[in-house]
Amino acid sequence: MLTSKKIVVCVTGGIAVYKAVALVSKLTQAGADVKVIMTRSAMEFVQPLSFQVMSRNDVYVDTFDEKDSSVIAHINLADWADLVIVAPATANVIGKLANGIADDMVTTTLLATTAKVWIAPAMNVHMYDNAAVKRNIARLSEDGYSFIEPSEGFLACGYVGKGRLEEPENIVKLVEDYFSPKDLPLKGQKVVVTAGPTRERIDPVRFLTNFSSGKMGYAMAEAAANLGADTVLISGPVSIDAPSNVTFVSVESAQGMYDAVVAQFDTASIVIKTAAVADYKPKVVQAQKMKKQPGEATIALERTTDILAELGTRKTNQLLIGFAAETNDVVHYAKGKLEKKNADYIIANDVTEAGSGFGTDTNSVTLVGHNGVEMHFPHLTKKELALQLLQTIIQLEKDGRK
Ligand code: CTP
């Protein structure tokens, strides 16, 4: 969830430093790129090596220890960060920051950054209650800093009270929530996208397939995820990488795709069937490699299940979106499929058109819908087209409900 998010964790000297090791580990596991800065007193508790291993990055301690001579480390880190977390934050660092003091790597970076800064205090309960500390916290809040309240409980100093560093997993949750996109139209919805070709085995070394590259389906999945959907991409064999923000399910045959889609269907809000599913499969899959014989050969084929049509009979509240690859009378056939498969929308393209269809990076399609809509989308990249199609369908559905 935190993929490609850049987080600087400033670690200051308190017994809770050990929890900061767990925090850095969890942030890294969640996909964030984490860089750690330690104060000298933090190093009295834990060696920089622990943070280096957990973050898989260099750890910064000394303002004057420039690891890369082409940049000034504290300015570079300050600019690099999407978010800065001070955990644990001692009364000392809070006091320095509240007064604009910058005398080490942590405080110089904190003053230099324009990124959001979260401060997670951890200290003795009486220190936390001290008037000066309270004053400094209030001042920093006014200045726009955010605080992660310490929790109550047993403190290392023997007291019971407020002052424990918030648990690392709770801090990670806050960070994930901070970065999770707000107000996206598909937030809270599950979108299932199928993509690519299927392979129907003939014998152990041969199969029937088609030219689908998966590009349009992968673009649809990426667009759905970028619009906030919890996206499941079910794909036949292709040679492109899945978007990082989707759940990926790999399948081979039409039957495998059918099983995977049905397993997701009840909890889905939208199903987009971009896959070029084989309509036929060999009646018998030979256990041994077929040997050539003189003369002609025939492979008996039988129909696969039409997944979209099957979903059309099962659907309750799901929106069903199909694709149609045609070579002529595109809109006519698309409308036929819309009705026959009980789909809500069919996105149809003429695969004979230049820059359209299998393997290309661009496409031009016509959207036909249950609401009588018929809209043409001229030549666009598959990624742009995917986003426009989804945004259009979301708007049409919204208008339809008014
Ligand atoms: N489809 C499916 N299961 C199949 C075949 C197709 O779910 N066994 C879906 C495709 O994913 C696509 C839509 O049906 O969303 C249209 O597929 P297409 O192959 O163009 O249409 P067919 O129904 O196979 O019709 P025809 O072969 O007559 O063009």
Side-chain angles (χ1 to χ4, degrees):
M1 282 190 74
L2 297 178
T3 307
S4 77
K5 298 294 179 263
K6 296 181 281 241
I7 302 174
V8 168
V9 177
C10 298
V11 183
T12 66
I15 186 65
V17 167
Y18 76 95
K19 280 183 165 178
V21 179
L23 172 65
V24 169
S25 166
K26 285 179 194 303
L27 289 171
T28 309
Q29 281 171 37
D33 193 359
V34 183
K35 292 191 180 174
V36 175
I37 313 175
M38 298 177 80
T39 59
R40 298 244 166 241
S41 28
M43 283 163 58
E44 299 288 332
F45 294 93
V46 172
Q47 292 290 312
L49 183 63
S50 304
F51 288 107
Q52 184 186 314
V53 171
M54 291 308 176
S55 66
R56 293 179 218 119
N57 275 318
D58 285 342
V59 173
Y60 298 78
V61 177
D62 185 345
T63 324
F64 301 102
D65 170 23
E66 297 290 359
K67 295 179 197 304
D68 175 357
S69 57
S70 66
V71 294
I72 298 165
H74 67 280
I75 304 294
N76 199 37
L77 273 179
D79 290 346
W80 174 85
D82 296 321
L83 176 70
V84 179
I85 305 172
V86 190
T90 56
N92 184 48
V93 79
I94 290 170
K96 283 203 262 184
L97 191 57
N99 291 283
I101 296 168
D103 63 351
D104 61 11
M105 186 67 186
V106 165
T107 44
T108 47
T109 308
L110 285 172
L111 288 201
T113 194
T114 54
K116 181 79 190 157
V117 177
W118 286 358
I119 301 169
M123 63 195 77
N124 164 274
V125 60
H126 296 317
M127 286 175 87
Y128 192 62
D129 268 348
N130 179 281
V133 174
K134 280 186 174 164
R135 207 165 44 236
N136 289 333
I137 289 178
R139 193 180 213 179
L140 287 171
S141 297
E142 279 168 29
D143 290 346
Y145 291 89
S146 295
F147 282 82
I148 302 171
E149 285 256 310
S151 50
E152 293 202 25
F154 283 100
L155 303 177
C157 51
Y159 280 88
V160 176
K162 203 164 184 171
R164 282 163 62 100
L165 179 68
E166 181 55 287
E167 294 307 320
E169 48 270 38
N170 293 340
I171 299 182
V172 174
K173 270 192 212 136
L174 288 172
V175 174
E176 286 178 339
D177 190 50
Y178 173 74
F179 282 118
S180 82
K182 311 281 182 296
D183 302 329
L184 287 171
L186 294 179
K187 196 158 170 60
Q189 300 206 40
K190 176 165 148 184
V191 175
V192 177
V193 182
T194 69
T198 61
R199 280 183 187 170
E200 309 305 326
R201 291 180 184 224
I202 299 168
D203 69 12
V205 296
R206 301 181 181 94
F207 52 82
L208 296 174
T209 191
N210 57 63
F211 285 115
S212 172
S213 64
K215 284 180 185 168
M216 192 65 218
Y218 280 47
M220 292 301 286
E222 190 171 2
N226 288 342
L227 291 171
D230 176 8
T231 306
V232 181
L233 171 60
I234 299 170
S235 175
V238 294
S239 55
I240 54 175
D241 290 330
S244 56
N245 47 356
V246 306
T247 303
F248 184 72
V249 180
S250 165
V251 297
E252 182 181 287
S253 63
Q255 185 61 44
M257 186 168 279
Y258 173 84
D259 293 339
V261 174
V262 166
Q264 302 283 348
F265 191 57
D266 287 348
T267 49
S269 340
I270 303 176
V271 179
I272 307 173
K273 292 248 43 253
T274 328
V277 188
D279 288 325
Y280 294 93
K281 63 177 179 182
K283 222 169 169 173
V284 179
V285 182
Q286 302 295 334
Q288 255 96 50
K289 183 184 166 194
M290 287 170 72
K291 288 295 186 189
K292 54 183 159 305
Q293 308 287 346
E296 290 176 0
T298 307
I299 299 170
L301 300 177
E302 65 182 8
R303 286 292 303 270
T304 57
T305 308
D306 187 322
I307 307 171
L308 186 57
E310 171 67 23
L311 299 182
T313 64
R314 288 180 181 224
K315 78 172 172 188
T316 47
N317 295 315
Q318 296 90 344
L319 197 71
L320 277 188
I321 304 170
F323 273 73
E326 307 291 352
T327 54
N328 56 297
D329 297 326
V330 175
V331 172
H332 170 72
Y333 283 124
K335 284 183 175 165
K337 284 174 190 178
L338 187 73
E339 205 167 311
K340 202 172 77 199
K341 302 190 186 210
N342 195 25
D344 297 287
Y345 294 92
I346 293 282
I347 297 159
N349 65 344
D350 184 342
V351 287
T352 61
E353 224 181 86
S356 204
F358 292 142
T360 59
D361 286 320
T362 55
N363 217 354
S364 74
V365 300
T366 303
L367 173 73
V368 297
H370 62 106
N371 34 18
V373 68
E374 189 183 315
M375 288 171 78
H376 187 64
F377 293 74
H379 261 105
L380 289 164
T381 67
K382 286 183 174 173
K383 286 189 180 208
E384 282 167 342
L385 180 62
L387 194 61
Q388 284 198 16
L389 282 166
L390 277 181
Q391 284 171 329
T392 304
I393 290 170
I394 292 165
Q395 194 55 49
L396 285 167
E397 288 301 299
K398 228 181 188 176
D399 294 346
R401 279 199 302 272
K402 276 181 196 157

mmCIF file of all heavy atoms in Angstrom, residues 123-156:
data_model
loop_
_atom_site.group_PDB
_atom_site.id
_atom_site.type_symbol
_atom_site.label_atom_id
_atom_site.label_comp_id
_atom_site.label_asym_id
_atom_site.label_seq_id
_atom_site.Cartn_x
_atom_site.Cartn_y
_atom_site.Cartn_z
ATOM 1 N N MET A 123 8.159 9.414 26.338
ATOM 2 C CA MET A 123 8.966 9.895 27.472
ATOM 3 C C MET A 123 8.253 9.555 28.781
ATOM 4 O O MET A 123 7.117 9.043 28.764
ATOM 5 C CB MET A 123 9.210 11.403 27.356
ATOM 6 C CG MET A 123 7.965 12.262 27.419
ATOM 7 S SD MET A 123 8.230 13.954 26.872
ATOM 8 C CE MET A 123 8.279 13.809 25.101
ATOM 9 N N ASN A 124 8.876 9.865 29.871
ATOM 10 C CA ASN A 124 8.283 9.668 31.185
ATOM 11 C C ASN A 124 7.015 10.521 31.310
ATOM 12 O O ASN A 124 6.926 11.620 30.762
ATOM 13 C CB ASN A 124 9.330 10.072 32.237
ATOM 14 C CG ASN A 124 8.731 10.275 33.590
ATOM 15 O OD1 ASN A 124 8.255 11.352 33.913
ATOM 16 N ND2 ASN A 124 8.745 9.223 34.394
ATOM 17 N N VAL A 125 6.028 9.987 32.019
ATOM 18 C CA VAL A 125 4.725 10.647 32.135
ATOM 19 C C VAL A 125 4.840 12.078 32.683
ATOM 20 O O VAL A 125 4.138 12.990 32.236
ATOM 21 C CB VAL A 125 3.744 9.778 32.977
ATOM 22 C CG1 VAL A 125 4.264 9.536 34.373
ATOM 23 C CG2 VAL A 125 2.359 10.362 33.027
ATOM 24 N N HIS A 126 5.737 12.300 33.645
ATOM 25 C CA HIS A 126 5.876 13.654 34.212
ATOM 26 C C HIS A 126 6.570 14.591 33.239
ATOM 27 O O HIS A 126 6.251 15.789 33.201
ATOM 28 C CB HIS A 126 6.624 13.606 35.549
ATOM 29 C CG HIS A 126 5.881 12.847 36.602
ATOM 30 N ND1 HIS A 126 4.526 12.992 36.797
ATOM 31 C CD2 HIS A 126 6.290 11.919 37.498
ATOM 32 C CE1 HIS A 126 4.124 12.191 37.767
ATOM 33 N NE2 HIS A 126 5.189 11.515 38.207
ATOM 34 N N MET A 127 7.500 14.030 32.463
ATOM 35 C CA MET A 127 8.138 14.868 31.438
ATOM 36 C C MET A 127 7.078 15.308 30.416
ATOM 37 O O MET A 127 7.030 16.455 29.989
ATOM 38 C CB MET A 127 9.251 14.098 30.713
ATOM 39 C CG MET A 127 10.499 13.904 31.529
ATOM 40 S SD MET A 127 11.690 12.881 30.663
ATOM 41 C CE MET A 127 12.560 14.070 29.688
ATOM 42 N N TYR A 128 6.206 14.352 30.048
ATOM 43 C CA TYR A 128 5.165 14.650 29.050
ATOM 44 C C TYR A 128 4.193 15.711 29.580
ATOM 45 O O TYR A 128 3.647 16.507 28.822
ATOM 46 C CB TYR A 128 4.430 13.353 28.682
ATOM 47 C CG TYR A 128 3.536 13.506 27.465
ATOM 48 C CD1 TYR A 128 4.068 13.848 26.226
ATOM 49 C CD2 TYR A 128 2.154 13.313 27.559
ATOM 50 C CE1 TYR A 128 3.261 14.001 25.115
ATOM 51 C CE2 TYR A 128 1.338 13.458 26.441
ATOM 52 C CZ TYR A 128 1.893 13.800 25.227
ATOM 53 O OH TYR A 128 1.095 13.952 24.122
ATOM 54 N N ASP A 129 4.004 15.699 30.905
ATOM 55 C CA ASP A 129 3.103 16.666 31.547
ATOM 56 C C ASP A 129 3.780 17.989 31.859
ATOM 57 O O ASP A 129 3.121 18.951 32.274
ATOM 58 C CB ASP A 129 2.600 16.079 32.888
ATOM 59 C CG ASP A 129 1.312 15.332 32.677
ATOM 60 O OD1 ASP A 129 0.736 15.473 31.584
ATOM 61 O OD2 ASP A 129 0.902 14.592 33.599
ATOM 62 N N ASN A 130 5.077 18.045 31.703
ATOM 63 C CA ASN A 130 5.832 19.245 32.074
ATOM 64 C C ASN A 130 5.341 20.448 31.256
ATOM 65 O O ASN A 130 5.083 20.346 30.051
ATOM 66 C CB ASN A 130 7.324 18.986 31.796
ATOM 67 C CG ASN A 130 8.167 20.181 32.128
ATOM 68 O OD1 ASN A 130 8.220 21.122 31.352
ATOM 69 N ND2 ASN A 130 8.798 20.152 33.280
ATOM 70 N N ALA A 131 5.246 21.583 31.914
ATOM 71 C CA ALA A 131 4.685 22.779 31.273
ATOM 72 C C ALA A 131 5.465 23.183 30.023
ATOM 73 O O ALA A 131 4.877 23.574 29.009
ATOM 74 C CB ALA A 131 4.665 23.926 32.278
ATOM 75 N N ALA A 132 6.798 23.051 30.083
ATOM 76 C CA ALA A 132 7.614 23.459 28.921
ATOM 77 C C ALA A 132 7.353 22.542 27.737
ATOM 78 O O ALA A 132 7.219 22.999 26.595
ATOM 79 C CB ALA A 132 9.096 23.433 29.300
ATOM 80 N N VAL A 133 7.256 21.242 28.040
ATOM 81 C CA VAL A 133 6.999 20.275 26.950
ATOM 82 C C VAL A 133 5.625 20.545 26.344
ATOM 83 O O VAL A 133 5.459 20.584 25.115
ATOM 84 C CB VAL A 133 7.116 18.808 27.467
ATOM 85 C CG1 VAL A 133 6.720 17.819 26.385
ATOM 86 C CG2 VAL A 133 8.532 18.527 27.950
ATOM 87 N N LYS A 134 4.632 20.760 27.213
ATOM 88 C CA LYS A 134 3.275 21.040 26.728
ATOM 89 C C LYS A 134 3.268 22.284 25.849
ATOM 90 O O LYS A 134 2.599 22.335 24.813
ATOM 91 C CB LYS A 134 2.330 21.261 27.915
ATOM 92 C CG LYS A 134 1.858 19.984 28.562
ATOM 93 C CD LYS A 134 0.833 20.376 29.584
ATOM 94 C CE LYS A 134 0.139 19.243 30.237
ATOM 95 N NZ LYS A 134 -0.536 19.674 31.448
ATOM 96 N N ARG A 135 4.000 23.285 26.307
ATOM 97 C CA ARG A 135 4.074 24.557 25.561
ATOM 98 C C ARG A 135 4.700 24.316 24.181
ATOM 99 O O ARG A 135 4.213 24.799 23.167
ATOM 100 C CB ARG A 135 4.941 25.522 26.382
ATOM 101 C CG ARG A 135 4.631 26.974 26.159
ATOM 102 C CD ARG A 135 5.222 27.878 27.230
ATOM 103 N NE ARG A 135 6.598 27.577 27.598
ATOM 104 C CZ ARG A 135 7.012 27.321 28.852
ATOM 105 N NH1 ARG A 135 6.155 27.322 29.853
ATOM 106 N NH2 ARG A 135 8.277 27.074 29.112
ATOM 107 N N ASN A 136 5.776 23.530 24.175
ATOM 108 C CA ASN A 136 6.459 23.252 22.900
ATOM 109 C C ASN A 136 5.558 22.471 21.940
ATOM 110 O O ASN A 136 5.531 22.733 20.738
ATOM 111 C CB ASN A 136 7.755 22.474 23.153
ATOM 112 C CG ASN A 136 8.809 23.353 23.807
ATOM 113 O OD1 ASN A 136 8.798 24.576 23.637
ATOM 114 N ND2 ASN A 136 9.719 22.743 24.574
ATOM 115 N N ILE A 137 4.828 21.501 22.488
ATOM 116 C CA ILE A 137 3.923 20.702 21.640
ATOM 117 C C ILE A 137 2.824 21.608 21.059
ATOM 118 O O ILE A 137 2.510 21.539 19.866
ATOM 119 C CB ILE A 137 3.318 19.514 22.446
ATOM 120 C CG1 ILE A 137 4.421 18.477 22.707
ATOM 121 C CG2 ILE A 137 2.146 18.882 21.724
ATOM 122 C CD1 ILE A 137 4.000 17.273 23.539
ATOM 123 N N ALA A 138 2.268 22.468 21.927
ATOM 124 C CA ALA A 138 1.204 23.371 21.461
ATOM 125 C C ALA A 138 1.726 24.286 20.356
ATOM 126 O O ALA A 138 1.059 24.515 19.333
ATOM 127 C CB ALA A 138 0.686 24.196 22.643
ATOM 128 N N ARG A 139 2.950 24.756 20.537
ATOM 129 C CA ARG A 139 3.539 25.672 19.553
ATOM 130 C C ARG A 139 3.769 24.952 18.214
ATOM 131 O O ARG A 139 3.467 25.484 17.150
ATOM 132 C CB ARG A 139 4.866 26.166 20.105
ATOM 133 C CG ARG A 139 5.431 27.323 19.354
ATOM 134 C CD ARG A 139 6.714 27.664 20.021
ATOM 135 N NE ARG A 139 6.981 29.072 19.978
ATOM 136 C CZ ARG A 139 8.069 29.600 20.528
ATOM 137 N NH1 ARG A 139 8.916 28.855 21.188
ATOM 138 N NH2 ARG A 139 8.305 30.878 20.428
ATOM 139 N N LEU A 140 4.277 23.739 18.304
ATOM 140 C CA LEU A 140 4.525 22.975 17.083
ATOM 141 C C LEU A 140 3.207 22.646 16.372
ATOM 142 O O LEU A 140 3.135 22.658 15.137
ATOM 143 C CB LEU A 140 5.302 21.691 17.393
ATOM 144 C CG LEU A 140 6.783 21.903 17.741
ATOM 145 C CD1 LEU A 140 7.409 20.621 18.252
ATOM 146 C CD2 LEU A 140 7.560 22.411 16.525
ATOM 147 N N SER A 141 2.160 22.352 17.155
ATOM 148 C CA SER A 141 0.845 22.092 16.547
ATOM 149 C C SER A 141 0.382 23.318 15.773
ATOM 150 O O SER A 141 -0.129 23.213 14.653
ATOM 151 C CB SER A 141 -0.204 21.757 17.598
ATOM 152 O OG SER A 141 0.153 20.593 18.251
ATOM 153 N N GLU A 142 0.552 24.483 16.397
ATOM 154 C CA GLU A 142 0.171 25.739 15.711
ATOM 155 C C GLU A 142 0.972 25.920 14.431
ATOM 156 O O GLU A 142 0.484 26.452 13.442
ATOM 157 C CB GLU A 142 0.439 26.938 16.623
ATOM 158 C CG GLU A 142 -0.628 27.188 17.648
ATOM 159 C CD GLU A 142 -0.158 28.195 18.703
ATOM 160 O OE1 GLU A 142 0.671 29.060 18.387
ATOM 161 O OE2 GLU A 142 -0.614 28.067 19.856
ATOM 162 N N ASP A 143 2.237 25.478 14.466
ATOM 163 C CA ASP A 143 3.099 25.621 13.289
ATOM 164 C C ASP A 143 2.789 24.605 12.192
ATOM 165 O O ASP A 143 3.428 24.603 11.141
ATOM 166 C CB ASP A 143 4.581 25.461 13.690
ATOM 167 C CG ASP A 143 5.089 26.639 14.515
ATOM 168 O OD1 ASP A 143 4.402 27.678 14.542
ATOM 169 O OD2 ASP A 143 6.164 26.509 15.137
ATOM 170 N N GLY A 144 1.839 23.700 12.459
ATOM 171 C CA GLY A 144 1.438 22.746 11.415
ATOM 172 C C GLY A 144 2.011 21.350 11.575
ATOM 173 O O GLY A 144 1.806 20.499 10.715
ATOM 174 N N TYR A 145 2.735 21.110 12.665
ATOM 175 C CA TYR A 145 3.234 19.739 12.890
ATOM 176 C C TYR A 145 2.099 18.889 13.460
ATOM 177 O O TYR A 145 1.236 19.401 14.173
ATOM 178 C CB TYR A 145 4.411 19.752 13.878
ATOM 179 C CG TYR A 145 5.654 20.392 13.297
ATOM 180 C CD1 TYR A 145 5.881 21.776 13.427
ATOM 181 C CD2 TYR A 145 6.593 19.634 12.604
ATOM 182 C CE1 TYR A 145 7.007 22.372 12.873
ATOM 183 C CE2 TYR A 145 7.724 20.221 12.053
ATOM 184 C CZ TYR A 145 7.923 21.592 12.190
ATOM 185 O OH TYR A 145 9.026 22.167 11.636
ATOM 186 N N SER A 146 2.118 17.591 13.112
ATOM 187 C CA SER A 146 1.101 16.690 13.657
ATOM 188 C C SER A 146 1.741 15.776 14.687
ATOM 189 O O SER A 146 2.914 15.414 14.555
ATOM 190 C CB SER A 146 0.499 15.839 12.549
ATOM 191 O OG SER A 146 -0.193 16.674 11.665
ATOM 192 N N PHE A 147 0.944 15.389 15.678
ATOM 193 C CA PHE A 147 1.456 14.534 16.751
ATOM 194 C C PHE A 147 0.735 13.189 16.765
ATOM 195 O O PHE A 147 -0.470 13.126 16.523
ATOM 196 C CB PHE A 147 1.293 15.229 18.112
ATOM 197 C CG PHE A 147 2.351 16.278 18.322
ATOM 198 C CD1 PHE A 147 2.210 17.552 17.772
ATOM 199 C CD2 PHE A 147 3.509 15.973 19.013
ATOM 200 C CE1 PHE A 147 3.207 18.504 17.917
ATOM 201 C CE2 PHE A 147 4.510 16.911 19.166
ATOM 202 C CZ PHE A 147 4.353 18.193 18.614
ATOM 203 N N ILE A 148 1.503 12.144 16.993
ATOM 204 C CA ILE A 148 0.920 10.821 17.227
ATOM 205 C C ILE A 148 0.985 10.641 18.737
ATOM 206 O O ILE A 148 2.057 10.450 19.314
ATOM 207 C CB ILE A 148 1.719 9.716 16.501
ATOM 208 C CG1 ILE A 148 1.759 9.994 14.990
ATOM 209 C CG2 ILE A 148 1.121 8.346 16.793
ATOM 210 C CD1 ILE A 148 2.692 9.083 14.209
ATOM 211 N N GLU A 149 -0.176 10.782 19.355
ATOM 212 C CA GLU A 149 -0.258 10.752 20.826
ATOM 213 C C GLU A 149 0.385 9.500 21.402
ATOM 214 O O GLU A 149 0.129 8.396 20.898
ATOM 215 C CB GLU A 149 -1.730 10.714 21.232
ATOM 216 C CG GLU A 149 -2.440 12.004 21.078
ATOM 217 C CD GLU A 149 -2.635 12.675 22.425
ATOM 218 O OE1 GLU A 149 -3.120 12.018 23.356
ATOM 219 O OE2 GLU A 149 -2.265 13.855 22.523
ATOM 220 N N PRO A 150 1.175 9.639 22.450
ATOM 221 C CA PRO A 150 1.675 8.419 23.097
ATOM 222 C C PRO A 150 0.522 7.690 23.775
ATOM 223 O O PRO A 150 -0.495 8.299 24.121
ATOM 224 C CB PRO A 150 2.669 8.954 24.122
ATOM 225 C CG PRO A 150 2.350 10.387 24.304
ATOM 226 C CD PRO A 150 1.614 10.869 23.099
ATOM 227 N N SER A 151 0.677 6.394 23.951
ATOM 228 C CA SER A 151 -0.387 5.648 24.616
ATOM 229 C C SER A 151 -0.067 5.506 26.100
ATOM 230 O O SER A 151 1.039 5.825 26.542
ATOM 231 C CB SER A 151 -0.575 4.284 23.955
ATOM 232 O OG SER A 151 0.663 3.640 23.846
ATOM 233 N N GLU A 152 -1.071 5.030 26.842
ATOM 234 C CA GLU A 152 -0.885 4.862 28.287
ATOM 235 C C GLU A 152 -0.453 3.445 28.590
ATOM 236 O O GLU A 152 -0.777 2.523 27.849
ATOM 237 C CB GLU A 152 -2.213 5.145 29.000
ATOM 238 C CG GLU A 152 -2.608 6.594 28.885
ATOM 239 C CD GLU A 152 -3.565 7.045 29.968
ATOM 240 O OE1 GLU A 152 -3.561 6.430 31.051
ATOM 241 O OE2 GLU A 152 -4.294 7.997 29.716
ATOM 242 N N GLY A 153 0.276 3.268 29.662
ATOM 243 C CA GLY A 153 0.671 1.912 30.048
ATOM 244 C C GLY A 153 1.914 1.941 30.892
ATOM 245 O O GLY A 153 2.303 2.993 31.415
ATOM 246 N N PHE A 154 2.542 0.781 31.012
ATOM 247 C CA PHE A 154 3.776 0.692 31.781
ATOM 248 C C PHE A 154 4.896 1.395 31.024
ATOM 249 O O PHE A 154 5.102 1.147 29.839
ATOM 250 C CB PHE A 154 4.158 -0.769 32.017
ATOM 251 C CG PHE A 154 3.333 -1.406 33.089
ATOM 252 C CD1 PHE A 154 2.262 -2.217 32.758
ATOM 253 C CD2 PHE A 154 3.611 -1.161 34.439
ATOM 254 C CE1 PHE A 154 1.478 -2.792 33.756
ATOM 255 C CE2 PHE A 154 2.830 -1.740 35.440
ATOM 256 C CZ PHE A 154 1.756 -2.555 35.098
ATOM 257 N N LEU A 155 5.600 2.270 31.692
ATOM 258 C CA LEU A 155 6.713 2.973 31.062
ATOM 259 C C LEU A 155 8.012 2.340 31.533
ATOM 260 O O LEU A 155 8.083 1.790 32.640
ATOM 261 C CB LEU A 155 6.684 4.460 31.422
ATOM 262 C CG LEU A 155 5.388 5.188 31.064
ATOM 263 C CD1 LEU A 155 5.444 6.638 31.522
ATOM 264 C CD2 LEU A 155 5.129 5.124 29.566
ATOM 265 N N ALA A 156 9.043 2.443 30.701
ATOM 266 C CA ALA A 156 10.318 1.797 31.021
ATOM 267 C C ALA A 156 10.885 2.326 32.341
ATOM 268 O O ALA A 156 11.590 1.620 33.061
ATOM 269 C CB ALA A 156 11.303 2.032 29.891
#
